[in-house]
Amino acid sequence: MAVSKRKKFQIVSVIVLFLVGGFIFYKYFPEIWGDAIYPLAYQDQILASANEFHLQRNLIAAVIYVESHYNPTAGSGAGARGLMQLMPPTARGVAKQIGMTDYTDDKIYDPTINIRLGSAYLRSAIVSRNGNIDVALSNYNGGPGVAGNFQISMDRSILPRETERYIRSVKGAWEAYDKIYGTDWQGPTKPFEAPKEISFVSQINIKNLLSIFFNK
């Protein structure tokens, strides 16, 4: 039996309502879904390193998210280790630069040490690349050779695909962390509370919307 035009209209209307509802939920209620998708652990360590090395706390959080998804025992086939995926020689060099005299390779998985060394390395990359975050991130991911070529040309098309994707991923995560947790969270926290003022979203009445489409 053929589906009537009215029935088709009702089905399409329901689909549209679900899509609109999903978009509204995603855009206006990050305090509900945000921490499930973008977790924020090791807040004290991130905040301490952000203050020590003058970095945006959510930039560090975003790098950790992209590098390891907050798994302190993460490792890569290339040998990178820990939350911020540091190569052991890099970790040793950074530890020496910041005066960490008791550093040994077995400490690279320690979240406090890994975040401190990774943040110091990130800060060094930002300074050496004249504050350009994109170039600094290319340095963090692809190394100084890749970053040097990028800094000269400022042409993202010359970047390795992985590095170009890495820059986009970190910046996207950084924006998400800013939106979900705010930019000035202090220590262990939870997603921000939504503003109390009434918005058009809070005034949407789904029952009334359905009645428009189904004449109920």
Side-chain angles (χ1 to χ4, degrees):
M1 182 177 178
V3 179
S4 67
K5 289 184 178 180
R6 178 177 176 78
K7 191 67 173 179
K8 287 181 179 178
F9 175 74
Q10 290 177 338
I11 293 172
V12 171
S13 299
V14 170
I15 293 173
V16 170
L17 279 174
F18 273 112
L19 291 174
V20 171
F23 172 77
I24 291 172
F25 182 74
Y26 174 81
K27 186 171 180 63
Y28 293 97
F29 296 99
E31 71 277 8
I32 296 174
W33 59 260
D35 59 338
I37 300 175
Y38 292 98
L40 180 58
Y42 308 106
Q43 295 100 315
D44 285 337
Q45 294 90 331
I46 291 172
L47 185 60
S49 290
N51 291 335
E52 181 178 2
F53 300 110
H54 308 288
L55 293 170
Q56 292 291 326
R57 61 207 70 183
N58 286 332
L59 172 57
I60 300 174
V63 170
I64 295 173
Y65 173 81
V66 173
E67 290 286 357
S68 68
H69 285 269
Y70 286 84
N71 177 6
T73 63
S76 75
R81 303 173 184 176
L83 288 168
M84 298 189 75
Q85 288 293 276
L86 299 172
M87 297 293 287
T90 300
R92 288 194 295 270
V94 174
K96 184 177 180 180
Q97 289 176 358
I98 65 175
M100 190 182 293
T101 58
D102 61 343
Y103 177 76
T104 55
D105 282 348
D106 61 334
K107 295 181 180 181
I108 198 169
Y109 289 111
D110 182 305
T112 299
I113 293 174
N114 191 281
I115 291 173
R116 187 177 181 219
L117 294 178
S119 298
Y121 183 55
L122 180 59
R123 177 62 182 175
S124 176
I126 292 173
V127 170
S128 67
R129 303 302 174 181
N130 299 322
N132 188 303
I133 296 296
D134 285 6
V135 181
L137 290 174
S138 74
N139 196 132
Y140 196 97
N141 176 260
V146 168
N149 292 334
F150 181 36
Q151 189 169 21
I152 292 171
S153 68
M154 291 310 298
D155 179 4
R156 301 242 320 223
S157 68
I158 73 167
L159 290 170
R161 184 175 299 177
E162 177 190 346
T163 300
E164 200 279 331
R165 184 168 57 246
Y166 179 82
I167 294 170
R168 286 190 287 107
S169 297
V170 170
K171 293 182 76 174
W174 185 4
E175 182 180 359
Y177 275 95
D178 278 351
K179 184 175 183 180
I180 295 164
Y181 298 96
T183 59
D184 60 351
W185 53 265
Q186 299 290 326
T189 186
K190 60 182 180 180
F192 70 85
E193 293 184 2
K196 300 300 183 183
E197 61 267 16
I198 297 175
S199 67
F200 82 94
V201 176
S202 64
Q203 300 180 58
I204 291 176
N205 188 311
I206 298 299
K207 184 176 180 180
N208 288 343
L209 285 175
L210 289 171
S211 69
I212 293 173
F213 291 109
F214 296 98
N215 294 327
K216 292 182 179 181

